[in-house]
């Protein structure tokens, strides 16, 4: 009877703060069990949505963080997982016009200060930790899905795979971001970010020869991330990708 009462302590994210020339970027980092610098690990950068912006270095863990804390995940996959937090008045993506569920994006998004901080953070992480540079992944939801497209635009050769959940971008950037393997997901009834934004990006990426998995979910509104996180094929797909 005694063994039935034994429970495993949940792995916790550690708080960090990246300081760059243009500001600071809070983040939370989760190291794999038994981390050692003598081996290299995949890196996952997860970008949160607009509702989790701030400077408390906590809200960004609202959606998705538990997926990587799960003991089954940690047993099967050894990875470094990082959740940065966008400041309250910032935005992961360069949006010309915001009138939800419609968004207009920049064709050449190069001056977003939050993106510059993300790039600086990844550079720093690669110096501090033993990271497999052939297995660097980025993904996010809503604003974070938009930011995922844009971060790949900023660093088109860095990522092995990217996943954008209920996001969007300007189709003109497709050629530059075609290299990673892509997974794009969206709810058909999304009232916050229109599903047409993902559909246009899928069409543009496929036209440029990109490898894209695209899933839409009937009768699902903005929270299509719940479907993605519950998909048993999601993590195996992600960790199978390598440059």
């Amino acid at each position: 009877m005694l063994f039935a009462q034994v429970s495993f302590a949940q792995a916790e994210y550690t708080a960090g703060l990246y300081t760059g020339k243009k500001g600071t970027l809070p983040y939370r980092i989760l190291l794999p069990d038994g981390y050692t610098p003598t081996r290299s690990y995949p890196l996952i950068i997860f970008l949160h949505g607009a509702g989790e912006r701030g400077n408390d270095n906590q809200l960004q863990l609202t959606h998705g963080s538990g997926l990587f804390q799960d003991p089954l995940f940690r047993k099967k996959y050894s990875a470094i997982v990082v959740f940065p937090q966008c400041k309250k008045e910032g935005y992961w993506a360069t949006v010309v016009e915001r009138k939800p569920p419609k968004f207009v994006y920049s064709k050449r998004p190069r001056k977003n200060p939050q993106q510059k901080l993300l790039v600086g953070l990844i550079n720093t992480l690669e110096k501090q930790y033993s990271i497999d540079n052939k297995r660097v992944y980025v993904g996010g939801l809503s604003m974070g899905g938009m930011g995922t497209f844009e971060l790949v635009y900023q660093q088109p050769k860095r990522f092995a795979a990217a996943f954008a959940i209920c996001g969007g971008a300007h189709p003109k950037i497709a050629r530059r971001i075609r290299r990673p393997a892509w997974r794009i997901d969206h709810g058909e009834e999304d009232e916050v970010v229109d599903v047409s934004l993902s559909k246009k990006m899928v069409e543009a990426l496929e036209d440029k020869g990109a490898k894209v998995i695209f899933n839409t979910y009937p009768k699902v509104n903005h929270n299509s991330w719940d479907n993605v996180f519950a998909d048993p094929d999601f993590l195996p797909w992600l960790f199978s990708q390598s440059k």
Side-chain angles (χ1 to χ4, degrees):
M1 293 294 293
L2 182 62
F3 66 85
Q5 300 176 16
V6 175
S7 61
F8 293 97
Q10 186 180 48
E12 297 294 338
Y13 289 84
T14 301
L17 182 68
Y18 167 72
T19 301
K21 293 180 180 179
K22 299 296 183 179
T24 59
L25 185 66
Y27 65 92
R28 290 275 177 166
I29 184 169
L30 184 67
L31 296 178
D33 289 334
Y35 171 82
T36 171
T38 60
R39 60 171 291 191
S40 58
Y41 300 86
L43 171 67
I44 304 172
I45 302 294
F46 193 102
L47 304 181
H48 63 80
E52 292 75 58
R53 290 174 293 177
N55 60 5
D56 68 340
N57 208 1
Q58 186 65 42
L59 270 177
Q60 76 267 36
L61 298 177
T62 301
H63 302 295
S65 62
L67 187 69
F68 307 107
Q69 290 175 300
D70 186 287
L72 293 177
F73 166 83
R74 294 178 62 77
K75 183 177 180 180
K76 188 172 184 179
Y77 302 107
S78 292
I80 299 171
V81 184
V82 178
F83 278 68
Q85 186 178 35
C86 182
K87 66 180 181 179
K88 189 68 175 177
E89 65 274 21
Y91 214 78
W92 289 136
T94 307
V95 181
V96 177
E97 184 176 340
R98 271 183 267 169
K99 291 184 178 179
K102 300 294 185 180
F103 293 76
V104 178
Y105 304 98
S106 172
K107 296 179 183 179
R108 297 176 181 174
R110 293 188 177 276
K111 297 182 179 180
N112 188 326
Q114 295 298 301
Q115 287 285 326
K116 292 183 182 299
L117 288 170
L118 285 172
V119 172
L121 171 62
I122 298 172
N123 290 339
T124 299
L125 291 171
E126 289 187 336
K127 293 176 183 177
Q128 291 180 340
Y129 298 98
S130 182
I131 291 171
D132 182 352
N133 61 16
K134 292 185 177 181
R135 301 180 70 198
V136 178
Y137 311 127
V138 62
L141 55 90
S142 193
M143 178 190 73
M146 302 174 194
T148 295
F149 286 117
E150 191 159 323
L151 187 54
V152 177
Y153 180 87
Q154 305 299 338
Q155 301 275 286
K157 297 180 180 180
R158 177 165 240 158
F159 302 101
F163 57 93
I165 306 169
C166 56
H170 200 294
K172 289 290 186 182
I173 73 171
R175 180 177 179 82
R176 184 174 169 87
I177 67 171
R178 70 190 184 278
R179 288 182 179 85
W182 281 94
R183 173 164 168 161
I184 297 174
D185 295 79
H186 217 123
E188 287 280 5
E189 305 300 323
D190 197 322
E191 298 175 352
V192 179
V193 181
D194 197 272
V195 67
S196 65
L197 297 169
S198 281
K199 290 179 177 179
K200 289 176 182 177
M201 285 307 300
V202 171
E203 182 180 357
L205 283 164
E206 290 181 337
D207 184 61
K208 300 302 180 184
K211 297 178 181 179
V212 185
I213 294 173
F214 182 40
N215 300 302
T216 59
Y217 306 99
K219 299 182 180 180
V220 172
N221 200 326
H222 193 48
N223 62 321
S224 52
W225 53 82
D226 291 336
N227 298 74
V228 178
F229 299 156
D231 182 353
D233 295 328
F234 171 54
L235 290 174
W237 167 80
L238 183 64
F239 284 94
S240 70
Q241 306 304 319
S242 180
K243 291 197 296 184

